[in-house]
Amino acid sequence: MLATYVQPRFAAAPRPGVTDHAPVVVVGAGPVGLCAAIDCALHGLPVVVVDEDDTVSVGSRGVCYAKRTLEILDRLGVGDAACARGVSWNVGRTFFRVDEVFRFTLVPESDHQRPGMINLQQYHLEELLVRRCNALGVPIRWRHKVTAIAEERAGVRLAVDTVDGPYELLANWVIAADGARSPLRKMLGLDVEGKVFRDRFLIADVVMEADFPAERWFWFDPPFHRNQSALLHKQADNVWRIDFQLGWDADPEEEKKPERVLPRIRAMLGDDRPFELEWVSVYTFQCRRMQRFRHGRVLFVGDAAHQVSPFGARGANSGIQDTDNLVWKLRLVHAGVAPKELLDSYSDERVVAADENILNSTRSTDFITPKSDVSRQFRDAVLDLARSQPFARKLVNSGRLSVPCVLVNSALNTSDDDTFAGWMVPGAPADDAPVAINGRQGWLLPMLGGRFQLLVYVDNAASWRPLELLETRDLPAVEVIAITSIPTTVPGVRSVHDLRGRFAQRYDARTGSAWLLRPDQHVAARWRKVDAHQVQMALLRALGRTASPAAAVHATAQAAA
């Protein structure tokens, strides 16, 4: 058995002076705040992180990181390290008492780089992100506590306390990643709305040697924990996460005592299996969010903006996806290429995602913790039927797991061409596919940078006339990439071979089809045939610059020049 985890301690950052300035300040050095800071650095936005603590999280906390989040971590430069450190899995199994009644596979088809999920303790991910910040030169000011915030005409003024005394930090923009209790939210007099669930759960991180497969196991009414639910899955370092439903009347402080925790674990694992207890916590949960995630120059992300129950692994995943949506927009606004109103689309799009997460999380919670005898009878009948009836298995809900939000109603999308099949509609995150670049095998998504990309599908790049897009000072550059069905290398043309035809299959590609991808790799537009003018107009819409007739005339004139 391995020793329990020892938290690193980071040196308190010295006070920079009486007054300091940064274009972007991230408040909170959890996984969401650190991802935001890394993304800012990669986009060329000078950023400072402040955090009142001097270490990573206590306990495993966030554990499951979904395929889409792993693809974002790839772009941030920590995907390989996270997957190497974590435990990959695709299969989940659900039991009713002693019988398996439902099984799912997160990635049912082959040819994806990343698994459906990895399990990795939050403290490990935070350490990887801290190292990445250090490598990029992103300053993290440990033991710097924000005590007051005031928005001014040109920016935001933060009062910060340190071990060396207070100072003022002036920022053009503040990203509030300071957690579910968000002191910044309270300082601004803002609130969250939603529902707190009347139930309690015990988390126990157990270090043990076990040959159980790397799968998610969930029980309803198991013999070792009657009339309640339980969960088991593996993390890094032979640490296993165990959850026990306790009921609303349970005393949180009493339930955390070893004399209460250890018998529960032994009943589950058997008396003869040795283990060490690493961390214990009792929690309740809630599904709620702020009305808007943008308040002037303060932008709320992660748990500071929205909270969900842990069933479905939607907390950290949705928070990291918040930053993926936000930072490219912030860069373009800061550079004067897009209007400030583009940041409203961050709130609009991620509020939709939060509502989708809250809906799915609430449904899972209602199934797992019935609120009446009738609800429990219905749930148990579903579970009983699921043993033999396929239709009932579709109703079993032990936590619908995190999937990315498809932003079909985003104002940044260009109207869709309805001749396409499949789910790669405007608003969808781009799907991955195995590709070859100059004869070397790789994957589509990692080769796409954090900029606008135009993917054009062609049979043979040697016979393709590249689409010339005019670059202007007031529009970001668009990189044109030819996706080819025949491997060819043509000087001056960036071509990528669709190695096993997966791109053509997943994107319903035909010769001449094109997709405009946003810097966060969501599809902004797609066409069966495309010209430079169409791309310019779609780009203007994706920048939030569709309201001005003069802008449309300007783009038309550019395309005709």
Side-chain angles (χ1 to χ4, degrees):
M1 244 178 300
L2 299 178
T4 55
Y5 177 73
V6 178
Q7 286 181 290
R9 292 288 172 184
F10 304 111
R15 186 182 70 169
V18 177
T19 304
D20 194 24
H21 174 264
V24 179
V25 172
V26 176
V27 180
V32 175
L34 292 171
C35 284
I38 292 167
D39 212 0
C40 284
L42 294 175
H43 279 291
L45 265 176
V47 60
V48 168
V49 182
V50 297
D51 192 283
E52 63 182 272
D53 206 350
D54 63 354
T55 188
V56 294
S57 66
V58 177
S60 61
R61 296 184 183 270
V63 167
C64 299
Y65 298 94
K67 179 176 179 291
R68 178 58 191 154
T69 299
L70 298 176
E71 292 163 352
I72 295 169
L73 294 178
D74 279 333
R75 188 174 58 76
L76 299 182
V78 295
D80 285 344
C83 289
R85 194 80 174 86
V87 175
S88 298
W89 64 277
N90 283 313
V91 174
R93 301 169 66 187
T94 300
F95 303 88
F96 182 41
R97 299 184 179 125
V98 296
D99 296 328
E100 181 177 332
V101 296
F102 179 67
R103 179 185 295 222
F104 62 82
T105 301
L106 293 171
V107 184
E109 63 177 15
S110 60
D111 291 330
H112 287 271
Q113 182 188 18
R114 295 308 183 196
M117 287 272 182
I118 67 166
N119 287 353
L120 182 65
Q121 297 93 307
Q122 183 172 319
Y123 48 74
H124 284 322
L125 179 60
E126 288 182 13
E127 281 201 64
L128 294 176
L129 294 170
V130 168
R131 290 189 204 125
R132 181 62 172 151
C133 283
N134 293 340
L136 292 170
V138 174
I140 304 175
R141 297 181 181 175
W142 303 105
R143 301 288 301 277
H144 283 224
K145 180 179 180 179
V146 176
T147 58
I149 181 171
E151 185 168 355
E152 301 175 348
R153 186 177 62 85
V156 182
R157 185 178 298 271
L158 300 169
V160 184
D161 268 350
T162 77
V163 294
D164 301 320
Y167 71 102
E168 287 192 334
L169 179 55
L170 307 180
N172 298 85
W173 303 94
V174 170
I175 298 177
D178 54 342
R181 295 183 176 86
S182 185
L184 287 187
R185 191 178 63 224
K186 294 176 182 177
M187 292 175 198
L188 291 170
L190 305 172
D191 205 352
V192 288
E193 299 175 355
K195 180 179 181 181
V196 177
F197 289 87
R198 293 173 60 85
D199 210 331
R200 302 189 196 279
F201 287 79
L202 171 75
I203 294 177
D205 279 355
V206 171
V207 184
M208 66 177 179
E209 301 281 354
D211 56 0
F212 306 140
E215 299 173 343
R216 178 186 190 263
W217 289 357
F218 191 99
W219 289 267
F220 291 97
D221 191 17
F224 57 81
H225 194 55
R226 294 305 307 270
N227 300 316
Q228 304 284 21
S229 65
L231 174 70
L232 173 72
H233 49 174
K234 185 178 182 180
Q235 307 174 70
D237 305 331
N238 282 334
V239 176
W240 295 77
R241 161 66 66 83
I242 300 175
D243 283 29
F244 293 108
Q245 182 185 3
L246 298 176
W248 181 244
D249 295 331
D251 184 322
E253 295 307 314
E254 287 296 316
E255 294 295 342
K256 287 189 288 187
K257 293 180 178 179
E259 59 266 29
R260 299 284 293 176
V261 175
L262 297 178
R264 295 188 190 280
I265 297 173
R266 291 193 184 101
M268 181 186 207
L269 301 177
D271 290 336
D272 58 345
R273 183 177 295 277
F275 64 86
E276 296 174 9
L277 197 58
E278 183 178 84
W279 178 64
V280 175
S281 180
V282 173
Y283 66 91
T284 58
F285 48 85
Q286 51 208 359
C287 290
R288 58 183 191 164
R289 67 164 173 85
M290 299 175 68
Q291 287 190 350
R292 293 181 296 113
F293 299 168
R294 179 196 174 196
H295 289 267
R297 291 179 174 269
V298 183
L299 301 135
F300 289 85
V301 295
D303 286 351
H306 48 78
Q307 297 109 49
V308 293
S309 78
F311 302 121
R314 297 171 182 276
N317 285 290
S318 61
I320 291 171
Q321 289 164 32
D322 286 347
T323 69
D324 191 48
N325 185 292
L326 170 63
V327 173
W328 70 270
K329 298 174 180 178
L330 189 58
R331 174 181 67 85
L332 293 174
V333 170
H334 185 74
V337 175
K340 292 184 179 66
E341 288 72 25
L342 180 63
L343 296 174
D344 290 329
S345 76
Y346 159 69
S347 179
D348 294 341
E349 291 179 347
R350 294 310 297 169
V351 161
V352 169
D355 285 345
E356 184 177 288
N357 281 325
I358 287 171
L359 175 64
N360 282 291
S361 186
T362 300
R363 286 173 174 171
S364 296
T365 302
D366 286 342
F367 193 87
I368 292 168
T369 62
K371 304 305 182 292
S372 67
D373 289 339
V374 172
S375 295
R376 180 176 289 276
Q377 289 171 15
F378 170 79
R379 188 206 63 186
D380 289 353
V382 166
L383 292 168
D384 200 39
L385 283 168
R387 290 187 173 102
S388 59
Q389 302 299 319
F391 83 89
R393 293 170 195 151
K394 297 178 181 179
L395 301 175
V396 175
N397 191 340
S398 61
R400 296 284 188 253
L401 290 168
S402 173
V403 294
C405 182
V406 180
L407 306 168
V408 291
N409 295 317
S410 171
L412 307 187
N413 294 344
T414 292
S415 297
D416 192 22
D417 183 335
D418 61 7
T419 63
F420 282 89
W423 82 293
M424 295 309 303
V425 299
D431 217 344
D432 205 2
V435 297
I437 308 164
N438 296 326
R440 296 182 60 184
Q441 184 171 344
W443 297 92
L444 176 66
L445 294 186
M447 58 156 280
L448 302 177
R451 59 187 294 186
F452 284 97
Q453 313 267 351
L454 183 71
L455 309 183
V456 183
Y457 187 79
V458 297
D459 286 335
N460 190 333
S463 60
W464 176 60
R465 182 182 177 184
L467 185 67
E468 294 184 3
L469 300 178
L470 297 174
E471 295 187 11
T472 64
R473 287 181 298 176
D474 65 339
L475 286 176
V478 178
E479 182 178 22
V480 182
I481 300 174
I483 310 292
T484 67
S485 57
I486 301 173
T488 51
T489 300
V490 180
V493 175
R494 189 176 183 196
S495 62
V496 177
H497 176 217
D498 184 14
L499 197 59
R500 289 189 279 276
R502 288 296 194 183
F503 179 90
Q505 173 193 351
R506 292 168 184 167
Y507 287 70
D508 186 28
R510 304 174 195 167
T511 294
S513 300
W515 299 259
L516 179 66
L517 303 186
R518 305 179 346 179
D520 59 3
Q521 299 177 349
H522 279 253
V523 178
R526 63 179 178 176
W527 305 270
R528 282 301 183 197
K529 296 291 181 182
V530 67
D531 58 37
H533 170 61
Q534 290 173 307
V535 176
Q536 295 277 14
M537 296 302 294
L539 187 59
L540 284 168
R541 178 175 288 277
L543 294 172
R545 288 168 53 182
T546 57
S548 168
V553 171
H554 177 61
T556 303
Q558 285 183 323

